[in-house]
Amino acid sequence: MFKVPDYQVAGHQAGGGKLGPLVDDSGHFYKPLQSDERGSQELAFYTAFSTDTRIPDHIRKFFPVFHGTKLLEASDGSGLSPHLALEDIVSSRINPCILDAKIGARTWYPQAAEDYLQRCLKKDRETASLELGFRISGLQVHGNKETGVWKPDRTVIQRGSVDETKLTLRKFVSSNPSTDSDIKPDCCFASTVYGGCNGILAELLVLKSWFEDQTIYHFYSCSVMMVYDKESLQQGKKQGAQIKLVDFAHVIDGKGVIDHNFLGGLCSLIRMISEIVTDPST
Amino acid sequence: MFKVPDYQVAGHQAGGGKLGPLVDDSGHFYKPLQSDERGSQELAFYTAFSTDTRIPDHIRKFFPVFHGTKLLEASDGSGLSPHLALEDIVSSRINPCILDAKIGARTWYPQAAEDYLQRCLKKDRETASLELGFRISGLQVHGNKETGVWKPDRTVIQRGSVDETKLTLRKFVSSNPSTDSDIKPDCCFASTVYGGCNGILAELLVLKSWFEDQTIYHFYSCSVMMVYDKESLQQGKKQGAQIKLVDFAHVIDGKGVIDHNFLGGLCSLIRMISEIVTDPST
């Protein structure tokens, strides 16, 4: 009944005796609660957020629906353990294309312990985060028959330069994604996935408006996940491209200040995607 | 002919045998070129920026006009030394009120030398920068006859908490500014200085639009200076409240990415000032 999702692009992955998330047939995604404070912080966030009346509906839809916790046999064979039961964003799609972008130049919060801070700072400097305000944590793209599924190495993608990251964002909406630098991405889905009034860019701009104003939560080390599938696009289904925020183990109280770290990174991502929508042929 | 300006609120100050800026009667502000790479970087920025045709006029007006360099007797008595000749933003005003806000949660740039980076990071964590996305570097307010000029201690102001910084931004537009916590700032100039179609908030929003798009420069450790004087406001003069960007010793090439660090901090400042305009009585 429970199985390892076959579309995960970032985060801890189950399989091979490792602990990771599970899915079932009813559209739920079960994320194991990390045993340290990350687990309790993520649970506390979902619990508080799901009943927070200050969150307007047009923003709430960017967050996975929370269905409480559930004791499940952990994927690593360690026995029953608590999992967050969340909306499964991906499994209803055929051949989903997924991109996970961790937002913010800084993944640590001001009150973080010194060793955690230094570890995060090191990674933010080694990856694209510091320079770009975000880093692509992972992605998979279903290309055409020749290219198949393109799922590049995560550590390479995270360290991408400005130009490499721009290129990856182009490949994400192309039918010919490839690591081969001779193949120019055709960006043939740019106008339908990124552009348009229901496209990813429009959704990111709605999210941005909220972040310019909200002082409730600060989202450290949180990702924007972008999902689409060509089948839905081609059939003109209602379920087009969409974004969801994921990973809330490092959300802290905003204390009356906007989340300038997340907002800055989000604006940087928006700027790059705008560039692709405006000129997909470059 | 050259004298020490009597209105400086942040940065190195001349007087008492120290090196600092000078002004003359012709509306020029002379900033000594720092002898290390900061001096050459700031000169390089002014030189490049003043002829950069990519900068629209409605943005250029937020930068001091650059009149080249000039050899002057340095204020510390060390003899002739090169100074940047800049537009003097303040001296034409009677009893100017000035606030200097250093923008950005991070004052160091990715390529900075390790010891410089660590020094900046320490100060960003000790001051309000990391939490707020900006810190008030200094200010002076001409209050009423009882309060006189309020020019609080710079080191105290820089380390202000969220609430203290919000209060300082209120005092900046009050006729009764005071360190005495029993005196509630009256915010009687909030609507004319911060609000209105030519007010500081409107100018900051224009600047924000540019930062959402421009990928030319990254402005580290740069300040937004806000200036007004009650005399001009009361006489309905054209020269109302205004903002200028100052301090460009740490400007680097944007390399096709927006300045998400500056933009995030700017949005945080905008959010706080909006709050005051919306509800000056709180």
Side-chain angles (χ1 to χ4, degrees):
Chain A
M1 181 180 172
F2 299 103
K3 60 167 194 157
V4 174
D6 50 10
Y7 48 74
Q8 217 186 324
V9 299
H12 306 278
Q13 297 182 7
K18 286 191 183 163
L19 186 64
L22 299 166
V23 289
D24 63 13
D25 294 334
S26 69
H28 289 174
F29 179 89
Y30 300 96
K31 182 174 180 178
L33 269 180
Q34 287 166 297
S35 56
D36 56 14
E37 64 178 13
R38 285 176 295 174
S40 53
Q41 270 185 250
E42 185 152 33
L43 175 57
F45 170 76
Y46 271 113
T47 307
F49 186 85
S50 63
T51 56
D52 192 333
T53 53
R54 297 168 295 180
I55 313 300
D57 286 347
H58 72 280
I59 296 301
R60 189 175 290 284
K61 71 166 188 171
F62 295 133
F63 292 77
V65 179
F66 175 54
H67 300 286
T69 57
K70 199 177 169 88
L71 278 175
L72 291 183
E73 286 290 338
S75 66
D76 62 355
S78 61
L80 278 179
S81 86
H83 289 63
L84 294 166
L86 303 168
E87 173 190 8
D88 185 356
I89 300 149
V90 175
S91 65
S92 63
R93 293 179 180 269
I94 303 161
N95 301 327
C97 299
I98 310 167
L99 187 145
D100 179 302
K102 195 185 278 274
I103 308 293
R106 172 164 52 92
T107 55
W108 51 276
Y109 38 98
Q111 301 77 16
E114 195 62 31
D115 59 334
Y116 177 77
L117 184 164
Q118 293 297 341
R119 222 164 45 237
C120 289
L121 177 60
K122 185 166 181 282
K123 185 146 191 196
D124 296 342
R125 292 173 71 185
E126 285 168 356
T127 60
S129 294
L130 196 64
E131 204 144 342
L132 266 57
F134 68 92
R135 64 178 177 249
I136 298 177
S137 294
L139 79 158
Q140 71 170 29
V141 191
H142 284 268
N144 55 32
K145 276 174 195 162
E146 284 95 63
T147 57
V149 178
W150 185 59
K151 192 170 178 173
D153 185 84
R154 283 204 257 166
T155 52
V156 174
I157 286 295
Q158 287 182 18
R159 286 158 198 254
S161 67
V162 176
D163 288 342
E164 283 160 356
T165 302
K166 286 183 178 180
L167 199 59
T168 301
L169 288 170
R170 288 183 177 274
K171 288 176 182 174
F172 180 60
V173 291
S174 290
S175 72
N176 61 344
S178 165
T179 304
D180 184 346
S181 60
D182 286 341
I183 299 176
K184 194 186 161 200
D186 58 24
C187 287
C188 69
F189 302 108
S191 63
T192 42
V193 171
Y194 288 151
C197 57
N198 295 312
I200 282 174
L201 186 57
E203 297 211 315
L204 291 173
L205 288 169
V206 171
L207 193 62
K208 173 186 168 231
S209 293
W210 185 61
F211 270 92
E212 284 173 344
D213 189 56
Q214 75 90 12
T215 60
I216 311 170
Y217 299 108
H218 284 192
F219 295 87
Y220 287 99
S221 213
C222 165
S223 287
V224 165
M225 212 168 94
M226 309 181 191
V227 188
Y228 75 96
D229 65 278
K230 284 155 199 172
E231 287 71 15
S232 297
L233 290 181
Q234 280 156 359
Q235 293 161 23
K237 278 193 187 164
K238 208 181 161 193
Q239 191 188 34
Q242 63 174 166
I243 60 164
K244 289 275 178 187
L245 293 184
V246 294
D247 298 338
F248 307 109
H250 305 285
V251 177
I252 62 166
D253 186 343
K255 291 183 188 164
V257 179
I258 64 162
D259 189 350
H260 46 84
N261 178 62
F262 190 100
L263 177 59
L266 185 63
C267 288
S268 178
L269 178 63
I270 286 171
R271 177 66 174 74
M272 284 194 187
I273 291 180
S274 299
E275 209 174 286
I276 299 172
V277 172
T278 308
D279 195 357
S281 67
T282 307
Chain B
M1 182 177 172
F2 299 104
K3 60 169 194 154
V4 174
D6 49 12
Y7 48 73
Q8 217 186 326
V9 299
H12 306 278
Q13 297 183 6
K18 285 190 183 162
L19 186 63
L22 299 166
V23 289
D24 64 12
D25 295 332
S26 69
H28 289 174
F29 179 90
Y30 299 97
K31 182 175 179 177
L33 268 181
Q34 289 167 294
S35 56
D36 56 14
E37 63 178 13
R38 287 176 294 175
S40 54
Q41 269 185 250
E42 186 151 31
L43 175 58
F45 171 76
Y46 271 113
T47 307
F49 186 86
S50 63
T51 56
D52 191 332
T53 53
R54 295 168 297 179
I55 313 300
D57 287 345
H58 72 281
I59 296 301
R60 189 175 290 285
K61 70 167 190 171
F62 295 133
F63 292 76
V65 178
F66 175 54
H67 300 286
T69 56
K70 198 174 169 89
L71 278 175
L72 291 184
E73 287 290 339
S75 66
D76 62 355
S78 60
L80 277 179
S81 86
H83 290 63
L84 294 167
L86 303 169
E87 172 191 6
D88 185 356
I89 299 151
V90 176
S91 64
S92 63
R93 292 179 182 269
I94 302 161
N95 301 328
C97 300
I98 311 167
L99 187 146
D100 180 300
K102 195 185 278 275
I103 308 293
R106 173 164 50 91
T107 54
W108 51 276
Y109 38 97
Q111 301 77 17
E114 196 61 31
D115 60 333
Y116 176 78
L117 184 164
Q118 293 298 343
R119 222 164 44 235
C120 290
L121 177 60
K122 186 165 179 285
K123 185 145 191 195
D124 295 342
R125 291 174 71 187
E126 286 168 355
T127 60
S129 293
L130 196 63
E131 205 144 340
L132 267 55
F134 69 92
R135 63 176 177 249
I136 298 177
S137 294
L139 78 157
Q140 71 171 28
V141 192
H142 284 267
N144 55 33
K145 276 175 194 162
E146 284 96 61
T147 57
V149 178
W150 186 59
K151 192 170 178 173
D153 185 84
R154 282 204 256 167
T155 53
V156 174
I157 286 294
Q158 287 182 18
R159 285 157 198 255
S161 66
V162 176
D163 288 341
E164 284 160 355
T165 302
K166 286 183 178 179
L167 198 59
T168 302
L169 288 170
R170 287 183 179 276
K171 288 176 182 174
F172 181 60
V173 291
S174 291
S175 72
N176 62 344
S178 166
T179 304
D180 184 347
S181 60
D182 287 339
I183 298 176
K184 195 185 159 203
D186 58 23
C187 286
C188 69
F189 302 108
S191 64
T192 41
V193 172
Y194 287 151
C197 59
N198 294 314
I200 282 174
L201 185 57
E203 296 211 316
L204 291 173
L205 288 169
V206 172
L207 193 61
K208 173 185 168 232
S209 293
W210 185 61
F211 270 92
E212 285 173 344
D213 190 56
Q214 75 89 12
T215 60
I216 311 169
Y217 299 108
H218 285 193
F219 295 87
Y220 288 99
S221 214
C222 165
S223 287
V224 165
M225 212 168 95
M226 309 180 191
V227 188
Y228 76 95
D229 66 280
K230 285 157 200 172
E231 286 71 15
S232 296
L233 290 182
Q234 281 156 358
Q235 292 161 23
K237 279 192 186 163
K238 208 180 161 192
Q239 190 187 34
Q242 64 174 163
I243 60 165
K244 289 276 177 185
L245 293 184
V246 295
D247 296 337
F248 307 109
H250 304 285
V251 177
I252 62 167
D253 187 343
K255 291 183 190 165
V257 179
I258 63 162
D259 188 350
H260 45 85
N261 178 62
F262 190 100
L263 177 59
L266 184 64
C267 288
S268 179
L269 177 64
I270 285 172
R271 178 65 175 74
M272 285 195 187
I273 291 180
S274 299
E275 211 174 284
I276 300 172
V277 172
T278 308
D279 194 357
S281 67
T282 305

